[in-house]
Amino acid sequence: MRTYHCFWLLFWAGQPHQSFLTLLSKRTSGFPEKEKVLVLSGNSKKDFSRSKRSWMWNQFFLLEEYTGTDYQYVGKLHSDQDKGDGSLKYILSGDGAGDLFIINENTGDIQATKRLDREDKPVYILRAQAINRRTGRPVEPESEFIIKIHDINDNEPMFTKDVYNASIPEMSDVGTFVVQVTATDADDPTYGNSAKVVYSILQGQPYFSVESETGIIKTALLNMDRENREQYQVVIQAKDMGGQMGGLSGTTTVNITLTDVNDNPPRFPQSTYQFRAPESTPPDSPIGRIKANDADVDENAEIEYSITEGDGYDMFGIITDKDTQEGIITVKKALDFENKNLYILKVEATNTHVDPRFLYLGPFKDSATVRIQVEDVDEPPVFSRPAYIIEVKEDVPINSVIGTVTAQDPDAAKNPVKYSVDRHTDMDRVFNINSGNGSIFTSKPLDRETLLWHNITVIAAEINNPKQSSRVPVFIKVLDVNDNAPEFPMFYETFVCENAKAEQLIQTLSAVDKDDSFSGHQFSFSLAPEAASSSNFTLQDNRDNTAGIFTGKTRYNRHEMSTYLLPVVISDNDYPIQSSTETVTIRVCACDHRGKMLSCNAEALIHPTGLSTGALVAILLCIIILLVTVVLFAALRRQRKKEPLIISKEDIRDNIVSYNDEGGGEEDTQAFDIGTLRNPEAIDDNKLRRDIVPETLFMPRRTAAARDNTDVRDFINQRLKENDTDPTAPPYDSLATYAYEGNGSVAESLSSLESVTTDGDQDYDYLSDWGPRFKKLADMYGTMDSDKDS
């Protein structure tokens, strides 16, 4: 028989926790004051009975933000099997077990080790179990229970923005929506009033109000005028606990701007404006500015100016400066002090964007009077016309008057005027003018065929004040008279065949005339009297300004007459009649039976003058070759000739040069060093060149010894490079001797300068091994050795 064991979870309060239990009972209505027990059932093979409990719990509550110094007591685990002898061990697992929540394994007491915050985690789920210490087996099944964290009002309401910005039109009605503010509270909204927020206004009355539950801000004052005050700063408070005493609160700032509406008409600051304008003011020039003030801004302050009435309505205009909203008064026509010196205008300023809601405030326009005083100035003379056109015949005599210009001083003084011609427009001085009366006359002959129009400028200046002057253009057209005789348009040169027949057309003539003819030119052609009596050629006038030349006989002989000069008289029909005599050149040529020219005395008819393209190219090439030759010759002449130090066609090493210098004897150690010729290794490092005086003392450069088995070419190249880079070398060409035959030769040196032994000590038998080239030398020295032996 198994016994059923009950596992009791007791939530009890001891004397040390009396204050806590009292607070808990206040915050959780309906909690029993007696011990709360969670009864858990175990396994049993038999029916069992248990006592009925008044309260069954599976969750417990713990107050957040505990401020005590000891651990916060949560509850107690207890099992029926616990005899108080320490044989059972209580185990706790789940959320925060061992860290936030600990259990006394002997007594089953549960405690919270840390300060808990419901906003971080509101619920903890844990599991409890009792096990036998000796066997380690559970004596009760594992049971799950919940610990809920009770909320306290520890979070103040927080607005979603630190600063709100809003705007509404000025003159808005009461109750106009402005903006809605929102605050949130992190406390538990389901428990008490900790999260119930109420809004109120701390600053901004009586202009604005706020709805306590929604946070909507509305206008509270009628006709708020932006021109009086534009910016408002409203402070809104959000308080939890339903706004009751002791609740936490937070605030935010709302910046409210009144936007402009067109509720102010433009107004001129004065009723009358006065301006002065010299009569010389050119049209479209500004003479003054006026401005109507408008308290509105932007497009509500845009003003349009206009002239509504006045005696200067057509003399003046007004435009609006869009940047400054000023009215600019301008001159539309030229002013004349002598004609009218005072103008009175009425100017109106009107808003361009009118709001119909505020028409009751009055007309959105204003007017002012503008008086303009015209000032007298010393004006230049004024011509009677803006330009003059004069026509004159080209045959007009010199000093003939062709026209007159007139100018007068517009001022009341009527100063006298003098005239002159601007010589920049009449460089040839063809015309002149009478300085007193303005009559223009010719000073040179005119020719329409040379220049049809003469455009000159006449200057009129006051005699008392020459600076006051004006100009006028004068266009002079030269009319044509028949003063040019007709002439051939080209030089006529033709030919006639020797076998030509009579009455054969050989050339058609035409004519031109430089003169104009309104009815068209009519030319007549005829032969000169001296040619008309001849029977060689005849001329027929076609009556259409052309004529034909015909043969007058059957045959011509170029040997008798090779060229005929035929004079032709051309006349026009204008008045006076003009005529000229032109000459037609006719050459006699040999032709075939078809009339094609074969040869003439006049080679110009067969071979045209000029050179062919090939000939021109050949001449051009010759000129280029000649120029290149001259340039090369000049360059060779400039080149300096360099004479060699030793003029000889033979190798310099085969010559003995005598310098007639005996030297200083054996004691002269600075004389020419013969050792340099023996071997480059014998060069003294401390010796400088003696043929020049160095400007800067350089340390002698050590010349690297030639390598063994180095051929002569490598040796010479090495020495050339050394001399080229030698800073002590003279600035002129000098002879460098490289008398070096090389090291390591089988025959060694052949120079007598290196011979330190006698001939008897030499063995020349090896010469016979050098081949046929050294055979003669081997015989000579081999014979000498034989003679010595004998």
Side-chain angles (χ1 to χ4, degrees):
M1 177 179 179
R2 298 183 57 187
T3 56
Y4 174 76
H5 305 284
C6 293
F7 176 57
W8 303 82
L9 176 61
L10 303 179
F11 185 69
W12 52 282
Q15 187 65 27
H17 309 286
Q18 181 179 1
S19 60
F20 164 69
L21 292 176
T22 302
L23 179 60
L24 183 59
S25 63
K26 290 181 181 180
R27 293 177 56 89
T28 57
S29 61
F31 281 8
E33 297 181 359
K34 60 180 179 179
E35 182 181 44
K36 305 172 188 66
V37 179
L38 178 62
V39 178
L40 304 176
S41 62
N43 294 330
S44 177
K45 292 183 180 181
K46 298 175 65 175
D47 294 336
F48 63 93
S49 61
R50 59 178 176 173
S51 60
K52 186 176 180 180
R53 305 290 183 175
S54 299
W55 297 93
M56 306 293 292
W57 292 94
N58 65 349
Q59 63 181 6
F60 300 97
F61 297 90
L62 187 65
L63 195 64
E64 70 170 333
E65 303 295 344
Y66 174 69
T67 58
T69 57
D70 298 331
Y71 289 164
Q72 188 177 4
Y73 187 78
V74 177
K76 183 180 181 62
L77 290 178
H78 184 72
S79 174
D80 291 344
Q81 299 296 322
D82 189 358
K83 304 302 182 178
D85 56 358
S87 61
L88 296 184
K89 178 182 180 181
Y90 295 95
I91 298 175
L92 188 66
S93 62
D95 295 339
D99 181 19
L100 292 178
F101 302 101
I102 61 175
I103 187 170
N104 188 321
E105 61 182 14
N106 296 319
T107 63
D109 294 327
I110 302 174
Q111 291 178 311
T113 63
K114 295 181 179 179
R115 181 176 173 180
L116 301 178
D117 189 355
R118 189 203 65 85
E119 286 71 35
D120 292 340
K121 188 175 179 65
V123 176
Y124 295 87
I125 301 175
L126 297 108
R127 291 177 299 277
Q129 192 174 32
I131 64 173
N132 190 295
R133 284 182 182 274
R134 184 174 58 83
T135 62
R137 293 181 180 182
V139 297
E140 297 285 353
E142 187 177 56
S143 299
E144 183 177 87
F145 65 96
I146 297 173
I147 300 178
K148 285 188 175 182
I149 308 302
H150 255 182
D151 182 46
I152 65 172
N153 189 17
D154 59 341
N155 291 280
E156 70 275 6
M158 298 293 293
F159 283 93
T160 56
K161 295 181 181 179
D162 293 335
V163 177
Y164 288 82
N165 293 302
S167 62
I168 58 168
E170 63 174 333
M171 310 297 290
S172 296
D173 296 332
V174 175
T176 302
F177 175 83
V178 179
V179 69
Q180 183 177 12
V181 295
T182 303
T184 59
D185 196 317
D187 292 327
D188 189 359
T190 64
Y191 180 75
N193 294 326
S194 298
K196 185 177 181 181
V197 178
V198 174
Y199 300 94
S200 61
I201 184 169
L202 300 182
Q203 177 183 323
Q205 294 176 331
Y207 306 102
F208 300 96
S209 62
V210 62
E211 293 184 357
S212 60
E213 295 182 358
T214 61
I216 295 176
I217 301 175
K218 298 180 180 180
T219 58
L221 189 64
L222 184 64
N223 295 334
M224 287 190 292
D225 193 357
R226 185 200 64 84
E227 287 72 34
N228 294 330
R229 182 176 178 182
E230 183 177 4
Q231 298 287 340
Y232 293 86
Q233 190 175 73
V234 178
V235 178
I236 302 297
Q237 175 184 267
K239 189 174 184 180
D240 59 12
M241 298 298 292
Q244 298 177 5
M245 185 74 68
L248 302 179
S249 63
T251 60
T252 187
T253 301
V254 182
N255 295 321
I256 302 175
T257 303
L258 296 184
T259 58
D260 185 56
V261 297
N262 192 5
D263 59 337
N264 293 280
R267 290 289 181 263
F268 283 105
Q270 58 192 69
S271 60
T272 303
Y273 295 84
Q274 291 189 358
F275 298 100
R276 293 180 177 272
E279 61 176 336
S280 60
T281 304
D284 298 328
S285 298
I287 61 173
R289 290 173 174 254
I290 60 176
K291 184 177 182 180
N293 298 325
D294 193 327
D296 298 320
V297 294
D298 299 332
E299 67 174 14
N300 297 320
E302 292 182 0
I303 300 174
E304 188 70 29
Y305 296 89
S306 60
I307 298 176
T308 57
E309 58 182 79
D311 54 2
Y313 184 82
D314 59 342
M315 297 295 295
F316 300 92
I318 188 169
I319 58 177
T320 302
D321 188 336
K322 298 300 182 182
D323 296 330
T324 62
Q325 297 301 317
E326 293 178 316
I328 304 174
I329 301 176
T330 60
V331 177
K332 294 173 61 177
K333 297 181 180 180
L335 303 177
D336 189 359
F337 173 82
E338 290 73 23
N339 185 25
K340 187 176 180 62
N341 58 14
L342 179 62
Y343 294 91
I344 299 176
L345 307 174
K346 184 177 181 180
V347 178
E348 187 175 80
T350 307
N351 276 140
T352 57
H353 300 86
V354 178
D355 193 337
R357 297 177 300 170
F358 304 103
L359 289 177
Y360 69 91
L361 296 176
F364 282 78
K365 59 183 178 180
D366 194 15
S367 60
T369 301
V370 178
R371 299 170 57 89
I372 301 175
Q373 182 73 43
V374 180
E375 297 179 340
D376 186 26
V377 296
D378 190 4
E379 299 176 274
V382 178
F383 284 93
S384 60
R385 301 179 189 175
Y388 293 86
I389 299 178
I390 300 175
E391 294 183 348
V392 58
K393 292 186 177 181
E394 61 179 328
D395 61 347
V396 66
I398 299 177
N399 295 325
S400 298
V401 176
I402 60 173
T404 303
V405 297
T406 304
Q408 62 179 357
D409 185 9
D411 298 324
K414 301 297 180 183
N415 294 319
V417 177
K418 65 177 181 178
Y419 303 91
S420 62
V421 176
D422 186 356
R423 290 307 173 188
H424 293 91
T425 61
D426 185 24
M427 302 293 291
D428 297 331
R429 296 180 177 269
V430 179
F431 302 96
N432 212 330
I433 191 171
N434 188 309
S435 62
N437 56 22
S439 59
I440 301 174
F441 56 91
T442 60
S443 57
K444 288 185 179 181
L446 302 178
D447 186 5
R448 187 201 67 85
E449 288 72 33
T450 302
L451 187 59
L452 176 61
W453 284 92
H454 295 268
N455 301 328
I456 66 174
T457 300
V458 174
I459 302 173
E462 295 181 6
I463 296 178
N464 299 333
N465 186 10
K467 293 183 179 180
Q468 293 296 331
S469 62
S470 57
R471 297 167 175 262
V472 67
V474 179
F475 306 104
I476 302 173
K477 182 179 181 180
V478 181
L479 302 178
D480 183 47
V481 296
N482 193 23
D483 59 345
N484 292 280
E487 58 187 4
F488 285 151
M490 66 184 74
F491 176 71
Y492 285 107
E493 184 177 12
T494 185
F495 71 94
V496 62
C497 295
E498 287 183 310
N499 55 357
K501 297 179 181 181
E503 300 300 326
Q504 181 178 345
L505 177 65
I506 62 174
Q507 182 66 47
T508 299
L509 305 178
S510 62
V512 294
D513 194 335
K514 295 180 181 179
D515 295 323
D516 283 337
S517 178
F518 298 101
S519 59
H521 290 291
Q522 292 293 331
F523 301 124
S524 61
F525 300 85
S526 62
L527 293 177
E530 61 271 18
S533 59
S534 174
S535 60
N536 293 323
F537 302 95
T538 60
L539 186 141
Q540 179 181 343
D541 192 346
N542 298 327
R543 304 299 179 183
D544 60 354
N545 292 337
T546 63
I549 299 177
F550 296 86
T551 57
K553 57 183 181 179
T554 303
R555 295 186 62 83
Y556 295 87
N557 191 340
R558 59 175 174 167
H559 300 291
E560 294 179 359
M561 179 65 72
S562 61
T563 304
Y564 292 91
L565 300 178
L566 187 65
V568 178
V569 179
I570 311 173
S571 303
D572 58 21
N573 64 343
D574 292 333
Y575 180 83
I577 297 176
Q578 299 289 340
S579 64
S580 65
T581 301
E582 301 290 328
T583 301
V584 180
T585 302
I586 304 174
R587 300 187 183 277
V588 181
C589 302
C591 304
D592 57 13
H593 64 281
R594 291 177 296 182
K596 184 177 181 180
M597 181 176 60
L598 297 178
S599 63
C600 289
N601 291 334
E603 297 297 332
L605 295 177
I606 302 176
H607 304 290
T609 60
L611 298 175
S612 65
T613 303
L616 291 175
V617 172
I619 293 174
L620 183 61
L621 289 176
C622 292
I623 294 175
I624 293 174
I625 293 173
L626 182 60
L627 291 176
V628 172
T629 304
V630 172
V631 171
L632 291 176
F633 180 76
L636 292 174
R637 290 292 301 271
R638 291 192 184 96
Q639 187 176 5
R640 295 181 179 179
K641 295 182 180 180
K642 300 179 181 179
E643 296 183 358
L645 182 62
I646 300 177
I647 303 176
S648 175
K649 294 182 180 180
E650 299 180 0
D651 191 355
I652 59 174
R653 291 177 294 179
D654 296 336
N655 295 298
I656 298 176
V657 181
S658 176
Y659 296 96
N660 296 324
D661 184 9
E662 294 181 359
E666 294 180 356
E667 299 295 330
D668 186 5
T669 59
Q670 296 298 324
F672 184 75
D673 188 5
I674 199 67
T676 304
L677 298 177
R678 294 188 183 131
N679 194 319
E681 297 178 356
I683 298 178
D684 191 355
D685 292 342
N686 297 326
K687 292 184 178 180
L688 300 176
R689 296 175 62 98
R690 301 185 62 208
D691 50 354
I692 61 170
V693 177
E695 295 180 357
T696 305
L697 184 60
F698 292 93
M699 293 301 295
R701 184 166 48 87
R702 178 70 178 182
T703 304
R707 301 188 307 270
D708 293 341
N709 301 324
T710 302
D711 57 12
V712 176
R713 178 167 43 183
D714 293 341
F715 172 77
I716 294 298
N717 291 335
Q718 180 182 355
R719 291 299 183 263
L720 283 174
K721 183 177 180 181
E722 292 173 357
N723 279 274
D724 290 340
T725 57
D726 188 4
T728 62
Y732 51 82
D733 294 339
S734 62
L735 180 65
T737 302
Y738 308 119
Y740 175 61
E741 297 179 0
N743 294 328
S745 173
V746 178
E748 296 183 353
S749 176
L750 299 180
S751 173
S752 60
L753 297 177
E754 292 286 353
S755 300
V756 294
T757 58
T758 61
D759 291 341
D761 297 334
Q762 299 294 330
D763 184 7
Y764 301 103
D765 293 338
Y766 57 85
L767 294 177
S768 58
D769 298 333
W770 286 7
R773 293 187 178 181
F774 295 91
K775 185 175 183 306
K776 184 66 175 175
L777 191 62
D779 294 340
M780 293 175 58
Y781 283 90
T783 305
M784 293 175 59
D785 292 340
S786 301
D787 294 340
K788 291 180 180 179
D789 294 339
S790 61

